Amino acid sequence: MTTFVDRVELHVAAGNGGHGCASVHREKFKPLGGPDGGNGGRGGDVILVVDQSVTTLLDYHHAPHRKATNGKPGEGGNRSGKDGQDLILPVPDGTVVLDKAGNVLADLVGHGTSFVAAQGGRGGLGNAALASARRKAPGFALLGEPGDLRDVVLELKTVADVALVGYPSAGKSSLISVLSAAKPKIADYPFTTLVPNLGVVTAGSTVYTVADVPGLIPGASQGRGLGLEFLRHVERCSVLVHVLDTATLESDRDPLSDLDVIEEELRQYGGLGDRPRLVVLNKIDVPDGKDLAEMVRPDLEARGYRVFEVSAVAHTGLKELSFALADLVAKARAARPEEEATRIVIRPKAVDDSGFSVVREEDGLYRVRGEKPERWIRQTDFSNDEAVGYLADRLNRLGVEEELMKAGARAGDGVAIGPEENAVVFDWEPSVTAGAEMLGRRGEDHRFEAPRPAVQRRRDRQAERDEVEQAYEGFDPFA
Ligand SMILES: Nc1nc2c(ncn2[C@@H]2O[C@H](COP(=O)(O)OP(=O)(O)OP(=O)(O)O)[C@@H](O)[C@H]2O)c(=O)[nH]1
Ligand SMILES: [Mg+2]
């Protein structure tokens, strides 16, 4: 027996970016030939893709942890690391992706539609890429960024054109079995169907799908029976069919009150009010059934329903029914906006990465939040002073120091960059007052260059000061 799984929690991990490489070119007679460390490769994404040959989420129920491969680190000789491989996860048509709070992230309908569930980390730049006119020989490289880690919930909402609803044992599965080639389980006890069945029907030139759901009983929308859980499978259908039992042995039931009960449950569930409906009176092969059908038909028609008398067992009335359904399906398809290109790629919303914020917290800690500063922290190898210095330069250029000062931070105050769980905390040392002069400029190795004449040294120092000044333009620390 195949198990049907229509809701799973999936934990996806994109690949980490490969680290950049710090390397110096070596050749005979030319021992220090300049930086040649390559960039790290990008980490692979985890991508959900609709595949019509997949019908359940069973695979993910068995193996809910999925990871794409990491990018490879860069190497000397300007060799970039290989990108990690994207991990493609096939999902059934009609899979809805939610976050753990229940927000819909994507609704995947149509073969090939895809959703990037976790984005791979960027590779770190190697020291060759970090070199510039002023920083000729960086002795560091950037770290690759970790890939996204995400917990998502996948829910399957069957994509069928027609949905059959009705009491248990009304004959819904029997109808699917005679309208299509599907062979669902059929039996004379209630709740034979535990998961939706799907059948493909051909009527004339129209091909459409029909699904049933487990039988509904009064109170289904409040969780009685199996109904509520499965009603989401009829949410997408364009036509609803009430299957009414004309041969039930329960004395308190008849087709009209059954219809009222089911309609009330659908109303409580919500969202299905606009679907065209028709009524099937089933089991008219039973003598009393035919009489009862004749009796209730005028009432049903008075309520505006088209009524079809059928017998799933004796195969009567099926042709008219299947053509009437084909007609409604064709109309619904025509009314729907032109099917969007089948391949839709949905990416998580791009975040605005220009801004950052500085907040002084209760314990006196200054917290910096922002896409860029947080990314730069992840890229920094804190065991390398030069890399840390480069980070300080970047933060300074973005205006983080300025904002810290505005917020009242003084040398020695604690500064945290990033969220609580994984912030980098350090004692602030404003670069304006730091004794950078004495240390020589960052990213320079004097062995690489001829000693600079005094004039040049002075000019360089001035350029550096100008840069700092620019960063603080309009800022008066005593204001
Ligand atoms: N006489 C007669 N019996 C029928 C007809 N259609 C279905 N049945 C019988 O009714 C019983 C229930 O049929 P199912 O098709 O399993 O009913 P269902 O609506 O799918 O029921 P659940 O899955 O429990 O909700 C079975 O014993 C069928 O053989 C019919 O047209 N005539
Ligand atoms: Mg059934």
Side-chain angles (χ1 to χ4, degrees):
M1 194 187 114
T2 58
T3 317
F4 180 88
V5 171
D6 68 348
R7 190 175 192 281
V8 292
E9 204 177 307
L10 184 64
H11 313 282
V12 289
N16 299 329
H19 296 330
C21 166
S23 150
V24 173
H25 184 68
R26 273 162 222 280
E27 244 177 77
K28 234 179 178 179
F29 310 120
K30 213 180 158 202
L32 295 169
D36 72 346
N39 303 334
R42 188 184 66 85
D45 295 339
V46 179
I47 308 175
L48 307 175
V49 182
V50 172
D51 181 335
Q52 257 147 7
S53 65
V54 177
T55 52
T56 95
L57 298 167
L58 188 64
D59 281 359
Y60 306 115
H61 174 72
H62 290 317
H65 294 269
R66 302 297 178 110
K67 189 176 187 322
T69 54
N70 296 334
K72 290 270 187 300
E75 289 174 41
N78 289 312
R79 280 192 300 272
S80 295
K82 242 177 101 175
D83 287 345
Q85 229 170 27
D86 291 342
L87 178 67
I88 306 288
L89 300 179
V91 294
D93 199 1
T95 299
V96 181
V97 189
L98 307 128
D99 63 15
K100 283 178 95 172
N103 304 308
V104 175
L105 303 176
D107 191 353
L108 304 177
V109 178
H111 191 77
T113 301
S114 62
F115 173 69
V116 179
Q119 208 137 30
R122 307 175 197 216
L125 291 182
N127 68 338
L130 288 167
S132 67
R134 287 195 41 220
R135 196 184 332 103
K136 291 209 173 59
F140 69 101
L142 295 186
L143 299 181
E145 286 186 74
D148 285 346
L149 286 174
R150 225 151 176 218
D151 295 331
V152 292
V153 173
L154 303 184
E155 260 183 23
L156 180 56
K157 290 187 181 181
T158 309
V159 185
D161 298 300
V162 177
L164 307 183
V165 293
Y167 263 76
S169 296
K172 302 177 294 300
S173 302
S174 302
L175 259 181
I176 289 196
S177 75
V178 292
L179 287 171
S180 73
K183 292 283 158 266
K185 186 175 177 193
I186 293 163
D188 60 0
Y189 56 87
F191 301 117
T192 308
T193 299
L194 300 176
V195 299
N197 299 300
L198 201 62
V200 180
V201 182
T202 309
S205 58
T206 310
V207 178
Y208 58 93
T209 49
V210 180
D212 69 354
V213 285
L216 297 169
I217 55 173
S221 58
Q222 263 74 56
R224 287 192 62 206
L226 298 164
L228 178 75
E229 202 193 324
F230 289 100
L231 273 180
R232 71 163 171 271
H233 289 285
V234 310
E235 273 179 35
R236 293 185 201 275
C237 71
S238 26
V239 180
L240 276 173
V241 174
H242 284 290
V243 181
L244 301 177
D245 190 341
T246 60
T248 177
L249 298 172
E250 291 172 51
S251 54
D252 57 340
R253 283 180 48 198
D254 68 79
L256 289 173
S257 62
D258 282 5
L259 177 69
D260 289 338
V261 166
I262 303 298
E263 270 299 330
E264 176 58 17
E265 293 309 321
L266 295 179
R267 197 187 61 75
Q268 295 263 348
Y269 183 77
L272 296 164
D274 62 339
R275 303 309 144 75
R277 295 146 152 78
L278 54 78
V279 164
V280 165
L281 292 166
N282 188 32
K283 308 195 187 178
I284 57 157
D285 56 294
V286 177
D288 292 349
K290 179 72 185 162
D291 294 344
L292 186 54
E294 291 303 322
M295 222 163 81
V296 296
R297 177 188 269 279
D299 273 330
L300 292 166
E301 284 175 346
R303 294 194 200 181
Y305 290 106
R306 282 177 73 191
V307 179
F308 294 81
E309 292 176 23
V310 309
S311 165
V313 165
H315 291 225
T316 44
L318 299 177
K319 198 157 183 190
E320 292 90 325
L321 175 64
S322 70
F323 276 88
L325 290 174
D327 196 42
L328 286 173
V329 168
K331 281 198 184 110
R333 284 179 186 163
R336 217 173 299 149
E338 196 53 34
E339 204 75 49
E340 303 101 77
T342 35
R343 295 191 132 264
I344 305 166
V345 178
I346 304 162
R347 286 189 168 269
K349 236 200 275 150
V351 272
D352 167 33
D353 70 351
S354 58
F356 68 91
S357 66
V358 174
V359 175
R360 186 173 193 274
E361 295 185 341
E362 276 164 28
D363 51 3
L365 192 72
Y366 292 87
R367 189 173 299 278
V368 180
R369 296 296 313 266
E371 168 73 16
K372 270 187 182 163
E374 288 175 34
R375 169 164 18 107
W376 293 343
I377 289 287
R378 293 194 293 270
Q379 292 175 329
T380 301
D381 170 7
F382 284 92
S383 67
N384 182 319
D385 289 345
E386 227 182 305
V388 176
Y390 177 71
L391 170 68
D393 287 351
R394 287 173 118 181
L395 291 173
N396 192 2
R397 240 175 291 136
L398 187 66
V400 173
E401 289 213 332
E402 187 178 337
E403 284 305 317
L404 278 169
M405 277 196 179
K406 276 193 197 160
R410 293 284 170 267
D413 286 347
V415 170
I417 299 186
E420 270 89 48
E421 323 84 70
N422 45 16
V424 170
V425 184
F426 52 90
D427 291 338
W428 191 39
E429 211 181 301
S431 57
V432 245
T433 59
E437 204 75 18
M438 287 153 51
L439 301 171
R441 294 181 323 141
R442 265 190 286 276
E444 255 177 29
D445 186 326
H446 293 291
R447 288 171 304 172
F448 287 148
E449 10 191 10
R452 288 173 298 167
V455 208
Q456 183 64 41
R457 277 210 301 273
R458 222 173 300 126
R459 243 186 246 141
D460 285 352
R461 269 204 300 273
Q462 188 55 48
E464 219 155 2
R465 268 189 228 109
D466 286 349
E467 199 177 280
V468 170
E469 228 133 77
Q470 241 169 348
Y472 285 89
E473 206 158 21
F475 170 63
D476 177 359
F478 304 106

